[in-house]
Amino acid sequence: VLHSVFPKSQRGPINAHAVLNAELFWMRHCYDPMTRTPALHYAAMLVTIVSEVTSTAMGTSYWHTSAAAASTPSRFLEAIRAAPWRGGLEPAADITHTKLEVSHGTVPDELVGTMYRNGPGRIRVGDTQYGHWFDGDGYIVAVEFNGCHTWPSMQARYVNTPRYRAQSVFPGKAGLATRGAWSSRGDGTLLSNLFRIPTNPANTNVITHANKLLALCEGGPPVPLDPATLATLPADADARSIRSFFAAHPKVCPSTKSLFGFGLQLPLLSGGLDIGWPPKLNLFELPPGSLHPVRQRAVPLPFFAFVHDAALTASKICIILPPWAVSLQDFIASSLGGEPLGRAYTFDRTKGTIVLIIDRSSLRISATAMLDGAPSLYHVINAHDDEDGRVVLQLAVLNGRREGLERNFADMYHAMWTTNEQCRAVEYVIQLAGPDEVQPGEGGAPELDEGINEEIRWAPRAVVLSQREVGGSMSKPFELPDVPPTQVGRKTRWAYVNCRSDNGESSGIQDAIGKLDLTASHYEHGGSLMATFDAGVASAPTFIPRPDPIAEDDGWVATFVYKPDEHRSDLVLLDATDLSTVCTMRLETHVPYMFHGSWCPTTHVGRQQQQPGS
């Protein structure tokens, strides 16, 4: 069927890998195994597949005509030609401070400040691929705005971590100089990895706090950066007093400006003295002007979980623990040079997805809750305390199985994306029982394992009163949610997401920006919106508030849009109220798909270029 749409003169250039990908996608999504016949209502998918293979066959993009593509190792080039969005995974280069051409629209006069983004700048070194998207080397992008009278300017730089430096002088012709959480060192043998500690890629988020710029990742302490040059700085003395790693999603209270962070205390690795099992999770509060915690406390975990995100309310911290866990046996085996630690995780639905509800003032567990169906997730959307004292928790819940998502992450150059590997917005309303209502250890949740620490086991069981899918009927499968910083821990209507422009008809990664109406159920129309980009693939959104906003969505949304045919990116600024395009800034190079970032209302104006005639 795929070959029949091409004239004979065009059949030769059809990339075999593209055809194979298309056939696999057809079998996964367009074939009814019960009747062994094609599902006709998925015919539109075949049209998409054919168009993708046609574009490959025609050979008109950068990846077919540019001499630069010849430097890409053949196995990666084949994969990119099969699905050109994968070109956005290619290694980036450092970018010195340069002006950005505004190719469409005008930069708003009120837009003054710096947007910082972080993500894996490379997930391969030569012909060697890292073992997971999350293992790529951290790459910071900074874009400075100073209203409409100066050009926006941009710079980008790799985080100069010990692993990045080691790789630059690694004598081997192949392989990695250091071990990652998902990647083996050298030739991958036990001897090459024995007692090798997973290194910190500093690739997940970048925040400003206490006038410091920090690159964050679950696997290590914060890495300080110069906010003007992005140069990597020595470790901060105050931050050394944090007795754990510093996870990528701390929350800043919009009222007090205090930062509430968390991180694992791994035995002998993360600064904590506790060598018990499972590891504990250290919670800490940083005041607005310091990286020295005013309080910190380690709480027990029911199992060795991957703790990536958390929720903050006016009175609580919520730690969500999907049962994606590592056993003690596998942890020891990994430490002795076996499989990388990240590959030792398994999803055990029998453990359930547990919510630890922690009192903000004491950092003690005040209740636990069990979410029905053991949902898997990486990201929290938001949370708040309602007028009745209940916790309203909004999560980006994975549609399919965690194992399928992780397979994609393990080989992004051959990943095939469906709605199963993306998320939906689910809201949970949790009732915290009063002292006269529920006794410790009771409350409707399944009994927790006898081996679990007593602080968890004897905490009152909160009751999940309801759960519902939200976002409105027009919402699309998504990831990487962002809410206005003024709304963190407060009731909010809007969330901004990196979503699909379709409902799963293509095999590409999410490519659009969505605005979710969190007050609307999945069956209501609501106010959800979407912005798409012609022949472009959007990455995660950054919400930028207008100075003195009059509404929660009063501001802009920025996203880098990768242009596969040209192998470069645009920076697009959208109006946050209706997602209309405010302006587009053209880059001459590409920015890889970013994870997270932040907005800082300060600039380094002396480095910017004046616009002609301004």
Side-chain angles (χ1 to χ4, degrees), residues 22 49 62 80 87 98 215 241 320 324 327 354 358 361 383 495 533 569 589:
I49 294 169
Y62 166 95
I80 295 168
T98 185
S241 59
I320 301 92
W324 183 244
S327 69
I354 299 171
I358 295 162
S361 60
F533 308 90
S569 299
T589 186

Side-chain angles (χ1 to χ4, degrees), residues 116 206-216 222-225 227 236 238-239 242 246 250-253 256-261 284-294 598-602:
Y116 295 103
V206 57
I207 64 170
T208 55
H209 188 75
N211 297 317
K212 307 284 179 67
L213 185 66
L214 305 172
L216 304 180
V223 178
L225 308 168
D236 188 275
D238 284 341
I242 298 172
F246 196 128
K251 304 297 179 183
V252 175
C253 174
T256 67
K257 309 303 180 188
S258 291
L259 180 149
F260 291 87
F284 51 88
E285 179 183 352
L286 306 181
S290 175
L291 294 180
H292 191 285
V294 295
S598 57
W599 170 256
C600 180
T602 59

Side-chain angles (χ1 to χ4, degrees), residues 61-74 77 81 90 567:
S61 76
Y62 166 95
W63 297 104
H64 291 269
T65 60
S66 173
S71 64
T72 304
S74 59
L77 184 58
R81 286 176 173 173
E90 280 292 271
H567 190 46

Side-chain angles (χ1 to χ4, degrees), residues 185-260:
R185 176 182 178 271
D187 58 4
T189 61
L190 186 146
L191 187 61
S192 296
N193 291 272
L194 183 64
F195 302 129
R196 297 284 180 171
I197 297 171
T199 49
N200 177 18
N203 66 6
T204 312
N205 201 357
V206 57
I207 64 170
T208 55
H209 188 75
N211 297 317
K212 307 284 179 67
L213 185 66
L214 305 172
L216 304 180
C217 178
E218 278 72 47
V223 178
L225 308 168
D226 185 321
T229 67
L230 304 184
T232 302
L233 303 176
D236 188 275
D238 284 341
R240 292 180 187 274
S241 59
I242 298 172
R243 298 191 295 267
S244 65
F245 291 156
F246 196 128
H249 287 284
K251 304 297 179 183
V252 175
C253 174
S255 299
T256 67
K257 309 303 180 188
S258 291
L259 180 149
F260 291 87

Side-chain angles (χ1 to χ4, degrees), residues 79 89 129 167 272 284 317 360 368 375 398 410 463 525 546 551 593:
L89 302 168
Q129 188 174 347
Q167 192 63 50
F284 51 88
I317 303 169
R360 261 178 57 164
T368 64
L398 184 66
V463 178
H525 178 71
R546 192 186 302 273
Y593 303 120

